[in-house]
Every structure is written in C-alpha cells, then in structure tokens.
Amino acid sequence: MTGRTSAAGSGGERVTVGSSWHVGLHVGSDWSVRCLTYPDERPILALNTPGAHLSLSTADGIMTADHIDFAHALVQAANDYLIDCERLVLDRVAGEVKTGPVRAA
C-alpha cells in the first residue's frame, strides 16, 4: 500500500495520519561520543556503538539561531539523563549497603 492513510478523529471525522518512526539506542560499555569540529564548517555530534552510528548536524550546512536553541535543549536533556542515571546508581549502591548485593533471578 502506498500513499497516506487515515483514521477516525475525536469527532469521528477522517484525519490524515502521516508516517513516523522511532529509533532506540541501548548503550552498553562499547560506545563512543565525540563532537567533530572544523574551522569553517558546521560541527558534527557523533554517537557510535558497534551496531549503530548516529550523527547530528545542521541541514544544508547552514547554521542558524534555531540550531543554538536545539543545542541548548540537547545539553539540558543530556544533563537530565545524567542526573537520573546518577540517582539510580546511587539508590542501587545505597540499597546494596543496607541489604547486601542484590542478584537478578
């Protein structure tokens, strides 16, 4: 099947449903992250694992204020991710200190 599909809206009317996708990257210990910078070119943020590579950069090589806004949002989201990872590790370590090591079944 090609073309657009439709679904029922909240009032029963037909609404166009576009395509979408989701990519998940489950990170183990075999990863790398780098920012490639060049004197007169846009930067490239590269995330690599043996099974997947992701690079982020600007479309058409044109840098705008929107890209700076995106970079700030990316830094904030990465910081939130870091804070929650640290919380989970610290909670686990605190639990092991109280009860001894926990083993998965």
Side-chain angles (χ1 to χ4, degrees):
M1 181 170 135
T2 61
R4 295 183 176 259
T5 59
S6 61
S10 60
E13 74 282 6
R14 300 306 281 174
V15 294
T16 300
V17 178
S19 300
S20 67
W21 61 292
H22 171 85
V23 175
L25 178 63
H26 299 270
V27 179
S29 60
D30 53 355
W31 56 269
S32 69
V33 177
R34 349 181 327 187
C35 183
L36 307 166
T37 59
Y38 307 95
D40 298 318
E41 294 290 329
R42 66 191 188 265
I44 300 170
L45 180 63
L47 294 84
N48 295 299
T49 70
H53 306 283
L54 171 68
S55 60
L56 298 173
S57 192
T58 62
D60 297 328
I62 300 169
M63 188 63 62
T64 68
D66 288 337
H67 296 105
I68 294 171
D69 292 341
F70 171 78
H72 281 286
L74 182 63
V75 167
Q76 183 60 54
N79 191 59
D80 293 345
Y81 181 82
L82 169 64
I83 289 168
D84 210 43
C85 289
E86 289 176 333
R87 177 190 62 80
L88 291 169
V89 168
L90 291 173
D91 287 353
R92 189 191 76 226
V93 169
E96 289 176 358
V97 168
K98 289 180 186 175
T99 62
V102 177
R103 297 203 173 143

